[in-house]
């Protein structure tokens, strides 16, 4: 577990944090966060933890992707069967595999849109999670993205272990 101070906040324990990464927080009225929330609501295939990653470069949305696959609709989750902890064994379950995560899919979308592998100076806005796993961070770092913006309070709202989370109610008014 890694602790980071962010925006004058108390330390937050993230299950994983890339040494080159930076997490910032925005409020629910942020345009890009609102876009990510609506995109996740409409397009995420993950029924439990729907999320969306939006890549913003020079104030313009250049990529977006929601997480999930339909694998778990007809197949059990291998990570659950293994008793895997948060952030572990994604490669052991087809439905949980990093290829289904929003961050690398959004990076690929942005790279295709701008016609470049490098996205220096871009930021990601992530709705639906309070941290990024190692493969997701690596895909962003490899593309030149070091900043991830999360929803203020996301460490509570999207933390499965926190009693005040909104999991299952993410899109209620």
């Amino acid at each position: 577990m890694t602790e980071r101070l962010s925006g004058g906040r108390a330390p937050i324990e993230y299950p994983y944090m890339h040494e080159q990464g930076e997490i910032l927080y925005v409020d629910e009225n942020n345009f890009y966060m609102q876009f990510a929330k609506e995109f996740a609501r409409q397009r995420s295939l993950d029924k439990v933890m729907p999320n969306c990653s939006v890549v913003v470069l020079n104030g313009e949305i250049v990529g977006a992707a929601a997480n999930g696959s339909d694998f778990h609709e007809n197949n059990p989750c291998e990570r659950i069967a293994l008793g895997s902890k948060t952030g572990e064994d994604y490669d052991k379950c087809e439905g949980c595999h990093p290829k289904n995560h929003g961050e690398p899919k959004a990076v690929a979308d942005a790279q295709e849109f701008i016609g470049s592998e490098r996205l220096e100076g871009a930021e990601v806005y992530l709705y639906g999670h309070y941290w990024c796993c190692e493969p997701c961070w690596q895909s962003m770092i490899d593309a030149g993205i070091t900043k991830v913006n999360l929803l203020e309070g996301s460490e509570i709202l999207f933390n499965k272990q926190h009693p005040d989370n909104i999991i299952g109610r993410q899109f209620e008014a």
Side-chain angles (χ1 to χ4, degrees):
M1 305 261 183
T2 303
E3 291 186 13
R4 283 280 170 104
L5 291 174
S6 185
R9 302 168 53 102
I12 295 173
E13 286 191 32
Y14 303 110
Y16 177 79
M17 183 64 197
H18 196 282
E19 61 189 24
Q20 294 174 343
E22 179 180 6
I23 292 181
L24 306 169
Y25 290 87
V26 299
D27 70 32
E28 64 186 352
N29 296 316
N30 178 279
F31 173 80
Y32 304 116
M33 192 58 69
Q34 288 180 349
F35 182 92
K37 179 180 180 180
E38 184 59 21
F39 197 101
R41 186 186 70 73
Q42 291 181 11
R43 299 190 187 176
S44 178
L45 297 176
D46 188 323
K47 305 298 185 225
V48 177
M49 293 295 294
N51 72 67
C52 172
S53 297
V54 175
V55 179
V56 176
L57 180 62
N58 299 323
E60 179 183 0
I61 295 173
V62 295
N67 68 323
S69 76
D70 60 3
F71 180 83
H72 291 128
E73 289 180 19
N74 299 307
N75 300 282
C77 178
E78 291 301 318
R79 291 181 65 244
I80 290 173
L82 292 168
S84 301
K85 295 178 184 176
T86 296
E88 295 180 357
D89 298 329
Y90 290 128
D91 60 328
K92 299 207 172 27
C93 177
E94 180 62 28
C96 298
H97 196 280
K99 71 182 178 186
N100 298 318
H101 293 195
E103 297 95 325
K105 290 165 62 174
V107 167
D109 187 49
Q111 289 169 326
E112 183 177 333
F113 180 76
I114 67 168
S116 173
E117 293 292 311
R118 299 298 297 165
L119 298 166
E120 301 293 339
E123 298 182 39
V124 167
Y125 287 76
L126 174 58
Y127 178 85
H129 279 312
Y130 78 99
W131 66 287
C132 302
C133 68
E134 184 175 2
C136 289
W137 264 118
Q138 199 57 57
S139 71
M140 292 183 288
I141 297 294
D142 289 348
I145 300 171
T146 60
K147 290 183 182 178
V148 173
N149 295 276
L150 300 175
L151 181 63
E152 184 69 41
S154 61
E155 72 280 4
I156 294 169
L157 300 172
F158 305 119
N159 183 340
K160 291 177 184 177
Q161 279 71 48
H162 200 284
D164 296 326
N165 72 52
I166 61 168
I167 297 169
R169 306 181 320 275
Q170 292 94 318
F171 306 112
E172 293 177 5

